[in-house]
Every structure is written in C-alpha cells, then in structure tokens.
Amino acid sequence: MSLVMAREHMERIGREGRASYPEECCGFLLGEWRPDGKQVRDVKAVDNARTDSPHNRYLIPPEVFLRVEKEARERALEVVGFYHSHPDVEARPSAFDRDHAWSGYSYVIVSVRGGVPHETRSWELRPDRTAFDEEGLFVAEIAPTESGPQASEG
C-alpha cells in the first residue's frame, strides 16, 4: 500500500515536530481510502495528552479521536492514519508504537534531531500485529492543468 500527501502537509508535520521538540507532537491524517492506498487531504494537529513521558510517547484520548472523526465525516473525509514525531531518534516505530497501533492505518513518523526535522517515513501495522511494514510515502504536486495531483516519491 501507499500513502499520498501534499508537500504542505509534510511541511506542517515537520513544523509541529520542531515546535513541540523535545516532546512528541501528534495528530491525524484525514483523507480517503483508495484501492492502491490512502490519499491525505488534510492533517489535524492535536495536543499530546501524555503527561508522564511526552518526550518519547504520545497519547490521543478517545474523546479527541471521536471529535476529530466526526469533524472529518462532516467534511466527507475519514481518519486514514496518524502522525507523530520522534525526538532525537530515527523515524522508525518503537515497540510501544506497535503495541498501541491499529492495523490498516498509516503511521507517519518524523524524526526531529536537535529541534530540526530530518526524515519522514510512513508505516503500516501488519494484521497479525507482529511488526510494522514501511509503506510508500509519496508527495503530491498539484499540476498546472485540471488533471489533478501527480505523485512523486518523497
């Protein structure tokens, strides 16, 4: 599978990672499911509700999930995934991430080192929950004609 998102969404996630450093930022990927993957139409930042270890964990409370899911439906969108930052470590899911993830969703992770966003990668949890697989992350560029977005690997 693959995940397609606009450059502005990638940049916004990087800015949020920088602003929240040295703590993790988090948010939602809103868009639509397609036969070949997911298309992100918007990203929605939320506060990291984790109070005991926000430097290496994030928490999105259920009531926030329900509120954002409702807002997305009102815009004819769906929650297709989540994003968060990893301060001073690589953009690879941790065992904690695996234990708290749901299969089928995309998990975008931006590595923020010393307050500067570095790599951004996307992952999907296997249905058997044993591991994440990296999924193709493509940045959509809006073409000057009405042909719509054209994806290039990001």
Side-chain angles (χ1 to χ4, degrees):
M1 296 295 270
S2 64
L3 181 70
V4 178
M5 58 193 316
R7 183 167 308 285
E8 74 177 75
H9 298 141
M10 295 278 290
E11 291 170 354
R12 190 180 320 161
I13 290 169
R15 285 192 305 271
E16 289 171 27
R18 176 181 297 146
S20 67
Y21 182 86
E23 297 180 353
E24 289 193 7
C25 71
C26 58
F28 292 83
L29 305 172
L30 307 178
E32 58 195 27
W33 302 87
R34 295 185 168 186
D36 60 343
K38 299 162 218 110
Q39 170 75 54
V40 174
R41 299 288 181 192
D42 198 6
V43 294
K44 171 79 172 169
V46 296
D47 291 333
N48 181 353
R50 191 78 187 212
T51 57
D52 60 339
S53 56
H55 64 283
N56 67 346
R57 304 276 188 268
Y58 74 96
L59 173 66
I60 299 173
E63 61 274 12
V64 173
F65 182 94
L66 291 173
R67 178 178 49 87
V68 171
E69 189 175 48
K70 181 178 184 255
E71 291 170 7
R73 273 195 318 269
E74 290 169 354
R75 297 172 55 203
L77 299 173
E78 296 180 76
V79 174
V80 298
F82 307 89
Y83 69 86
H84 70 282
S85 59
H86 274 188
D88 297 319
V89 295
E90 63 186 78
R92 175 177 291 285
S94 66
F96 183 88
D97 291 336
R98 186 191 69 232
D99 291 344
H100 294 86
W102 295 321
S103 160
Y105 288 96
S106 292
Y107 288 86
V108 170
I109 302 174
V110 59
S111 173
V112 181
R113 297 181 182 273
V116 178
H118 281 271
E119 70 175 335
T120 302
R121 298 165 76 181
S122 186
W123 305 87
E124 192 172 321
L125 183 65
R126 292 179 185 168
D128 66 5
R129 304 188 54 79
T130 58
F132 279 92
D133 291 313
E134 188 165 11
E135 67 180 344
L137 177 57
F138 298 91
V139 178
E141 301 292 343
I142 304 301
T145 64
E146 292 185 1
S147 62
Q150 296 178 345
S152 62
E153 190 160 1

